Amino acid sequence: MTDRQYDVIVVGGGLVGAALALALDAAGKRVALLEGSQAAFGDLEQGWDARIYAISPANRAFLQRLDAWPGSERLGVIAAMDVRGDNGGRIEFAASDADAEALAWIAENRWLLAALWRRLAESGVTCLRGARPRALATSPLTARMELDDGRQLSAALVAGADGANSWVREQAGLSASVKPYGHSGVVANFACRLPHGDIARQWFLGEGILAWLPMAGNRISMVWSTSDPQALLELSAPALAARVAAAGGHALGELELLTPPAAFPLRLIQPDAVVAERVALLGDAAHTVHPLAGQGVNLGFQDAEQLAALLAGSRDAGDWMLLRRYQRQRREAVKTMQLGCDGLFQLFHSTLPGVPWLRNAGLSLTNRLRPLKRQLARHAIGY
Ligand SMILES: Cc1cc2nc3c(=O)[nH]c(=O)nc-3n(C[C@H](O)[C@H](O)[C@H](O)COP(=O)(O)OP(=O)(O)OC[C@H]3O[C@@H](n4cnc5c(N)ncnc54)[C@H](O)[C@@H]3O)c2cc1C
């Protein structure tokens, strides 16, 4: 017998940690959720958020099961994708290629977060906001944590969902290889003159990768992976809108800036292991990927769903065999996504002789092969 207060302490109440806490609560576990920031739902549900996610059908179903899927008036749909290379290459595929309703749904970060925290307020989860851990000690039977304000917590498992610079990862001694891309993702929302037709558009520009994602109404969200973010951030609103419209070949006519642009440094983070004694990592704490495939948070939601499913029937949520199973289960999916995104990034930034021709020819060839396109569409959906 032990004196543990909780089955699981989740550190980090971002999208992934909040989803895990709800899923574990639904499975009847005693859960504490620690979130360093104090933002209230009211603050979250203001205006348009430039940080948006393409949520896969599998993760939409997961969030719906948690009753934490935001209202439909805020959601965009990706019915098709149109991807262009830097030298005439092009591939287009649609949800219908995979006999599906949509490739993904576009949701804003703040509204997704608000939906999750609204549910948390009604759940049995002990939510500690504005709380940060100061120390973590584990033994074969228990994880003990001391908070900044001196409170002591104990649990069978500490789940680190505290983002790319994870404190839990560091405390657990889980080292990670960190590879900066030398690029930042510049995000901003725009109103567009022409209807986007629920099509996500992406351009491999040679010096960067530009994506326009369809939002509700005549709006798009941009993610521009570039080595010179400052050159975009410095522009006036009309100049930035004109620059982005031109980079996308004026595919949607004139653009008008709706949210100030923001830039995030892009890094590939790969820990050697995502579990340690009485500790498991998930979300960006466990992996980051280049946003060119828009899969970062999707991988994190799958971590949360699969970890919660593994722990659901367990008597000891920190059982080492279970943690090893979680690590094994997630390794393949995460590695495939990291290698795929990294490979594409390298391929489209290579200036080696012949490579620029090859990558464009490859796109166009794939575009003519129906079975391969079907496979791509199924992959985008997450089959
Ligand atoms: C430019 C850009 C575009 C992106 N686009 C997409 C996209 O289209 N689709 C997609 O799927 N992904 C995308 N991503 C990735 C996505 O943002 C992340 O994968 C996702 O936010 C990870 O969620 P998380 O909950 O793991 O971590 P975070 O969102 O980083 O949340 C961590 C939480 O932990 C809290 N915290 C941190 N440390 C502590 C501590 N010590 N104590 C208590 N609390 C703590 C933080 O306050 C925060 O709330 C993009 C990323 C970038 C940079």
Side-chain angles (χ1 to χ4, degrees):
M1 285 298 288
T2 66
D3 58 347
R4 300 174 199 138
Q5 292 163 275
Y6 299 101
D7 292 309
V8 183
I9 300 171
V10 182
V11 182
L15 296 175
V16 175
L20 175 70
L22 276 178
L24 288 171
D25 180 62
K29 299 292 174 201
R30 294 166 305 158
V31 184
L33 175 61
L34 259 66
E35 169 50 46
S37 95
Q38 292 271 26
F41 319 125
D43 302 338
L44 291 170
E45 288 170 331
Q46 299 285 327
W48 291 86
D49 195 338
R51 191 112 186 232
I52 60 103
Y53 301 110
I55 305 290
S56 70
N59 286 325
R60 174 185 181 242
F62 172 49
L63 293 173
Q64 281 174 330
R65 279 194 296 279
L66 297 177
D67 197 16
W69 185 238
S72 60
E73 74 278 6
R74 303 294 298 197
L75 297 171
V77 174
I78 301 184
M81 284 212 60
D82 182 352
V83 182
R84 305 198 190 201
D86 54 340
N87 198 7
R90 183 172 187 182
I91 180 162
E92 293 168 281
F93 57 94
S96 55
D97 289 322
D99 305 318
E101 186 190 344
L103 291 172
W105 281 264
I106 298 291
E108 294 154 80
N109 180 58
R110 280 209 295 262
W111 287 74
L112 270 177
L113 208 49
L116 283 161
W117 274 88
R118 211 171 275 292
R119 280 284 302 114
L120 278 168
E122 303 156 2
S123 74
V125 175
T126 304
C127 296
L128 305 169
R129 302 209 64 150
R132 284 188 172 265
R134 183 159 60 198
L136 171 66
T138 64
S139 69
L141 285 183
T142 311
R144 295 187 188 281
M145 187 172 270
E146 184 179 324
L147 305 190
D148 261 353
D149 58 12
R151 269 180 290 180
Q152 309 275 339
L153 307 177
S154 62
L157 177 71
V158 168
D162 50 346
N165 301 317
S166 173
W167 178 89
V168 174
R169 190 175 67 216
E170 196 187 309
Q171 295 299 306
L174 294 167
S175 56
S177 97
V178 179
K179 177 177 133 189
Y181 277 108
H183 271 214
S184 289
V186 178
V187 294
N189 294 345
F190 298 88
C192 48
R193 178 65 60 86
L194 303 174
H196 50 58
D198 297 332
I199 298 170
R201 295 170 168 82
Q202 192 167 40
W203 292 267
F204 288 88
L205 299 170
E207 62 77 38
I209 305 166
L210 172 66
W212 292 358
L213 300 163
M215 299 178 76
N218 254 22
R219 299 182 187 86
I220 55 163
S221 183
M222 168 193 86
V223 185
W224 192 334
S225 159
T226 171
S227 58
D228 189 5
Q230 218 43 41
L232 297 173
L233 297 177
E234 272 165 4
L235 294 174
S236 66
L240 178 64
R243 175 97 173 73
V244 173
H250 301 280
L252 297 177
E254 252 176 59
L255 301 180
E256 183 197 336
L257 186 68
L258 296 176
T259 57
F264 304 86
L266 301 176
R267 295 172 295 167
L268 178 68
I269 299 182
Q270 296 171 299
D272 300 332
V274 297
V275 295
E277 184 179 71
R278 303 259 156 212
V279 171
L281 302 178
L282 67 164
D284 276 18
H287 43 69
T288 60
V289 292
H290 192 283
L292 67 84
Q295 291 298 327
V297 86
N298 282 307
L299 282 177
F301 280 138
Q302 282 304 295
D303 295 343
E305 183 171 28
Q306 292 188 21
L307 182 59
L310 276 172
L311 302 189
S314 71
R315 291 186 52 205
D316 176 1
D319 178 77
W320 180 239
M321 297 310 284
L322 272 181
L323 300 186
R324 291 284 303 271
R325 249 171 86 191
Y326 163 69
Q327 172 162 278
R328 262 201 317 277
Q329 227 168 278
R330 295 306 296 142
R331 184 171 274 154
E332 193 65 19
V334 169
K335 220 174 189 163
T336 305
M337 191 56 70
Q338 284 182 323
L339 283 177
C341 292
D342 196 50
L344 265 179
F345 181 85
Q346 304 304 343
L347 180 67
F348 274 90
H349 289 88
S350 170
T351 49
L352 286 175
V355 175
W357 175 84
L358 196 65
R359 64 197 177 208
N360 285 281
L363 275 184
S364 298
L365 181 64
T366 308
N367 203 30
R368 289 197 287 273
L369 300 175
R370 265 197 81 74
L372 211 52
K373 269 172 64 153
R374 185 176 162 77
Q375 204 48 44
L376 262 179
R378 288 172 66 83
H379 192 70
I381 286 168
Y383 287 153

mmCIF file of all heavy atoms in Angstrom, residues 226-254:
data_model
loop_
_atom_site.group_PDB
_atom_site.id
_atom_site.type_symbol
_atom_site.label_atom_id
_atom_site.label_comp_id
_atom_site.label_asym_id
_atom_site.label_seq_id
_atom_site.Cartn_x
_atom_site.Cartn_y
_atom_site.Cartn_z
ATOM 1 N N THR A 226 10.271 30.259 -42.721
ATOM 2 C CA THR A 226 11.260 31.080 -43.427
ATOM 3 C C THR A 226 12.510 31.280 -42.583
ATOM 4 O O THR A 226 12.434 31.314 -41.349
ATOM 5 C CB THR A 226 10.658 32.459 -43.800
ATOM 6 O OG1 THR A 226 11.703 33.297 -44.298
ATOM 7 C CG2 THR A 226 10.003 33.147 -42.611
ATOM 8 N N SER A 227 13.652 31.458 -43.281
ATOM 9 C CA SER A 227 14.903 31.696 -42.554
ATOM 10 C C SER A 227 15.029 33.163 -42.172
ATOM 11 O O SER A 227 15.926 33.535 -41.427
ATOM 12 C CB SER A 227 16.092 31.267 -43.423
ATOM 13 O OG SER A 227 16.056 32.003 -44.634
ATOM 14 N N ASP A 228 14.158 34.026 -42.681
ATOM 15 C CA ASP A 228 14.258 35.454 -42.381
ATOM 16 C C ASP A 228 12.903 35.997 -41.910
ATOM 17 O O ASP A 228 12.253 36.785 -42.613
ATOM 18 C CB ASP A 228 14.736 36.194 -43.647
ATOM 19 C CG ASP A 228 15.065 37.657 -43.363
ATOM 20 O OD1 ASP A 228 15.013 38.061 -42.172
ATOM 21 O OD2 ASP A 228 15.355 38.393 -44.325
ATOM 22 N N PRO A 229 12.474 35.581 -40.703
ATOM 23 C CA PRO A 229 11.147 36.015 -40.230
ATOM 24 C C PRO A 229 11.051 37.521 -40.073
ATOM 25 O O PRO A 229 9.992 38.108 -40.295
ATOM 26 C CB PRO A 229 11.006 35.308 -38.867
ATOM 27 C CG PRO A 229 12.390 34.927 -38.462
ATOM 28 C CD PRO A 229 13.156 34.725 -39.717
ATOM 29 N N GLN A 230 12.188 38.132 -39.728
ATOM 30 C CA GLN A 230 12.181 39.574 -39.470
ATOM 31 C C GLN A 230 11.718 40.353 -40.700
ATOM 32 O O GLN A 230 11.015 41.356 -40.592
ATOM 33 C CB GLN A 230 13.594 40.016 -39.057
ATOM 34 C CG GLN A 230 13.643 41.071 -37.977
ATOM 35 C CD GLN A 230 12.667 40.850 -36.832
ATOM 36 O OE1 GLN A 230 12.479 39.729 -36.365
ATOM 37 N NE2 GLN A 230 11.998 41.929 -36.415
ATOM 38 N N ALA A 231 12.105 39.858 -41.877
ATOM 39 C CA ALA A 231 11.740 40.550 -43.119
ATOM 40 C C ALA A 231 10.216 40.615 -43.272
ATOM 41 O O ALA A 231 9.689 41.547 -43.895
ATOM 42 C CB ALA A 231 12.351 39.817 -44.317
ATOM 43 N N LEU A 232 9.497 39.636 -42.700
ATOM 44 C CA LEU A 232 8.027 39.665 -42.768
ATOM 45 C C LEU A 232 7.452 40.462 -41.601
ATOM 46 O O LEU A 232 6.506 41.243 -41.768
ATOM 47 C CB LEU A 232 7.472 38.241 -42.738
ATOM 48 C CG LEU A 232 7.868 37.335 -43.909
ATOM 49 C CD1 LEU A 232 7.393 35.907 -43.672
ATOM 50 C CD2 LEU A 232 7.273 37.862 -45.228
ATOM 51 N N LEU A 233 8.027 40.269 -40.413
ATOM 52 C CA LEU A 233 7.476 40.920 -39.211
ATOM 53 C C LEU A 233 7.592 42.437 -39.291
ATOM 54 O O LEU A 233 6.788 43.165 -38.718
ATOM 55 C CB LEU A 233 8.193 40.417 -37.954
ATOM 56 C CG LEU A 233 8.049 38.926 -37.643
ATOM 57 C CD1 LEU A 233 8.853 38.534 -36.409
ATOM 58 C CD2 LEU A 233 6.592 38.543 -37.443
ATOM 59 N N GLU A 234 8.614 42.927 -40.000
ATOM 60 C CA GLU A 234 8.855 44.375 -40.090
ATOM 61 C C GLU A 234 7.878 45.099 -41.012
ATOM 62 O O GLU A 234 7.761 46.310 -40.990
ATOM 63 C CB GLU A 234 10.255 44.614 -40.679
ATOM 64 C CG GLU A 234 11.329 44.639 -39.668
ATOM 65 C CD GLU A 234 12.714 44.507 -40.274
ATOM 66 O OE1 GLU A 234 12.853 44.472 -41.517
ATOM 67 O OE2 GLU A 234 13.645 44.430 -39.469
ATOM 68 N N LEU A 235 7.210 44.342 -41.895
ATOM 69 C CA LEU A 235 6.363 44.988 -42.911
ATOM 70 C C LEU A 235 5.115 45.602 -42.280
ATOM 71 O O LEU A 235 4.606 45.096 -41.264
ATOM 72 C CB LEU A 235 5.930 43.960 -43.960
ATOM 73 C CG LEU A 235 7.045 43.366 -44.847
ATOM 74 C CD1 LEU A 235 6.473 42.246 -45.727
ATOM 75 C CD2 LEU A 235 7.671 44.443 -45.709
ATOM 76 N N SER A 236 4.601 46.652 -42.880
ATOM 77 C CA SER A 236 3.315 47.212 -42.454
ATOM 78 C C SER A 236 2.232 46.187 -42.819
ATOM 79 O O SER A 236 2.473 45.276 -43.637
ATOM 80 C CB SER A 236 3.043 48.522 -43.204
ATOM 81 O OG SER A 236 2.859 48.220 -44.581
ATOM 82 N N ALA A 237 1.037 46.345 -42.227
ATOM 83 C CA ALA A 237 -0.042 45.382 -42.486
ATOM 84 C C ALA A 237 -0.342 45.263 -43.992
ATOM 85 O O ALA A 237 -0.385 44.137 -44.530
ATOM 86 C CB ALA A 237 -1.285 45.755 -41.691
ATOM 87 N N PRO A 238 -0.538 46.386 -44.712
ATOM 88 C CA PRO A 238 -0.838 46.248 -46.152
ATOM 89 C C PRO A 238 0.322 45.627 -46.934
ATOM 90 O O PRO A 238 0.103 44.823 -47.849
ATOM 91 C CB PRO A 238 -1.087 47.691 -46.626
ATOM 92 C CG PRO A 238 -1.291 48.495 -45.383
ATOM 93 C CD PRO A 238 -0.612 47.789 -44.261
ATOM 94 N N ALA A 239 1.572 45.975 -46.518
ATOM 95 C CA ALA A 239 2.726 45.434 -47.260
ATOM 96 C C ALA A 239 2.849 43.931 -47.025
ATOM 97 O O ALA A 239 3.159 43.171 -47.952
ATOM 98 C CB ALA A 239 4.010 46.147 -46.825
ATOM 99 N N LEU A 240 2.586 43.485 -45.788
ATOM 100 C CA LEU A 240 2.651 42.043 -45.507
ATOM 101 C C LEU A 240 1.567 41.305 -46.299
ATOM 102 O O LEU A 240 1.823 40.265 -46.916
ATOM 103 C CB LEU A 240 2.477 41.778 -44.005
ATOM 104 C CG LEU A 240 2.475 40.294 -43.604
ATOM 105 C CD1 LEU A 240 3.829 39.638 -43.895
ATOM 106 C CD2 LEU A 240 2.129 40.112 -42.122
ATOM 107 N N ALA A 241 0.362 41.870 -46.300
ATOM 108 C CA ALA A 241 -0.746 41.234 -47.033
ATOM 109 C C ALA A 241 -0.379 41.117 -48.520
ATOM 110 O O ALA A 241 -0.612 40.063 -49.147
ATOM 111 C CB ALA A 241 -2.028 42.039 -46.852
ATOM 112 N N ALA A 242 0.205 42.175 -49.071
ATOM 113 C CA ALA A 242 0.578 42.161 -50.496
ATOM 114 C C ALA A 242 1.678 41.129 -50.747
ATOM 115 O O ALA A 242 1.650 40.392 -51.743
ATOM 116 C CB ALA A 242 1.045 43.554 -50.921
ATOM 117 N N ARG A 243 2.625 41.049 -49.808
ATOM 118 C CA ARG A 243 3.759 40.110 -49.958
ATOM 119 C C ARG A 243 3.258 38.657 -49.926
ATOM 120 O O ARG A 243 3.686 37.811 -50.710
ATOM 121 C CB ARG A 243 4.736 40.386 -48.808
ATOM 122 C CG ARG A 243 5.901 39.479 -48.681
ATOM 123 C CD ARG A 243 7.129 40.101 -49.343
ATOM 124 N NE ARG A 243 8.327 39.307 -49.079
ATOM 125 C CZ ARG A 243 8.592 38.142 -49.632
ATOM 126 N NH1 ARG A 243 7.742 37.610 -50.500
ATOM 127 N NH2 ARG A 243 9.706 37.489 -49.342
ATOM 128 N N VAL A 244 2.338 38.381 -48.986
ATOM 129 C CA VAL A 244 1.815 37.014 -48.842
ATOM 130 C C VAL A 244 0.947 36.652 -50.046
ATOM 131 O O VAL A 244 1.025 35.535 -50.585
ATOM 132 C CB VAL A 244 1.020 36.889 -47.512
ATOM 133 C CG1 VAL A 244 0.316 35.544 -47.416
ATOM 134 C CG2 VAL A 244 1.958 37.082 -46.320
ATOM 135 N N ALA A 245 0.134 37.612 -50.505
ATOM 136 C CA ALA A 245 -0.715 37.365 -51.680
ATOM 137 C C ALA A 245 0.157 37.054 -52.898
ATOM 138 O O ALA A 245 -0.116 36.112 -53.659
ATOM 139 C CB ALA A 245 -1.613 38.570 -51.952
ATOM 140 N N ALA A 246 1.239 37.817 -53.053
ATOM 141 C CA ALA A 246 2.117 37.617 -54.218
ATOM 142 C C ALA A 246 2.824 36.266 -54.125
ATOM 143 O O ALA A 246 2.939 35.544 -55.122
ATOM 144 C CB ALA A 246 3.139 38.754 -54.297
ATOM 145 N N ALA A 247 3.281 35.890 -52.896
ATOM 146 C CA ALA A 247 4.000 34.611 -52.738
ATOM 147 C C ALA A 247 3.084 33.442 -53.104
ATOM 148 O O ALA A 247 3.559 32.409 -53.564
ATOM 149 C CB ALA A 247 4.509 34.475 -51.303
ATOM 150 N N GLY A 248 1.786 33.618 -52.902
ATOM 151 C CA GLY A 248 0.820 32.563 -53.259
ATOM 152 C C GLY A 248 0.211 32.789 -54.633
ATOM 153 O O GLY A 248 -0.883 32.255 -54.909
ATOM 154 N N GLY A 249 0.875 33.571 -55.475
ATOM 155 C CA GLY A 249 0.416 33.767 -56.852
ATOM 156 C C GLY A 249 -0.978 34.377 -56.941
ATOM 157 O O GLY A 249 -1.701 34.134 -57.892
ATOM 158 N N HIS A 250 -1.372 35.156 -55.930
ATOM 159 C CA HIS A 250 -2.687 35.829 -55.890
ATOM 160 C C HIS A 250 -3.824 34.828 -56.088
ATOM 161 O O HIS A 250 -4.858 35.163 -56.671
ATOM 162 C CB HIS A 250 -2.756 36.957 -56.941
ATOM 163 C CG HIS A 250 -1.696 37.998 -56.732
ATOM 164 N ND1 HIS A 250 -1.813 38.998 -55.794
ATOM 165 C CD2 HIS A 250 -0.482 38.160 -57.302
ATOM 166 C CE1 HIS A 250 -0.705 39.740 -55.796
ATOM 167 N NE2 HIS A 250 0.120 39.250 -56.712
ATOM 168 N N ALA A 251 -3.617 33.600 -55.574
ATOM 169 C CA ALA A 251 -4.624 32.545 -55.790
ATOM 170 C C ALA A 251 -5.982 32.906 -55.198
ATOM 171 O O ALA A 251 -7.008 32.438 -55.688
ATOM 172 C CB ALA A 251 -4.115 31.236 -55.183
ATOM 173 N N LEU A 252 -5.985 33.738 -54.137
ATOM 174 C CA LEU A 252 -7.270 34.117 -53.531
ATOM 175 C C LEU A 252 -7.503 35.628 -53.632
ATOM 176 O O LEU A 252 -8.197 36.220 -52.796
ATOM 177 C CB LEU A 252 -7.308 33.665 -52.059
ATOM 178 C CG LEU A 252 -7.224 32.145 -51.842
ATOM 179 C CD1 LEU A 252 -7.192 31.799 -50.367
ATOM 180 C CD2 LEU A 252 -8.397 31.432 -52.523
ATOM 181 N N GLY A 253 -6.913 36.247 -54.637
ATOM 182 C CA GLY A 253 -7.080 37.685 -54.828
ATOM 183 C C GLY A 253 -6.372 38.468 -53.736
ATOM 184 O O GLY A 253 -5.406 37.994 -53.134
ATOM 185 N N GLU A 254 -6.900 39.657 -53.462
ATOM 186 C CA GLU A 254 -6.265 40.514 -52.448
ATOM 187 C C GLU A 254 -6.464 39.956 -51.051
ATOM 188 O O GLU A 254 -7.520 39.385 -50.760
ATOM 189 C CB GLU A 254 -6.947 41.880 -52.469
ATOM 190 C CG GLU A 254 -6.099 42.971 -53.064
ATOM 191 C CD GLU A 254 -6.897 44.260 -53.124
ATOM 192 O OE1 GLU A 254 -7.342 44.715 -52.059
ATOM 193 O OE2 GLU A 254 -7.073 44.774 -54.250
#
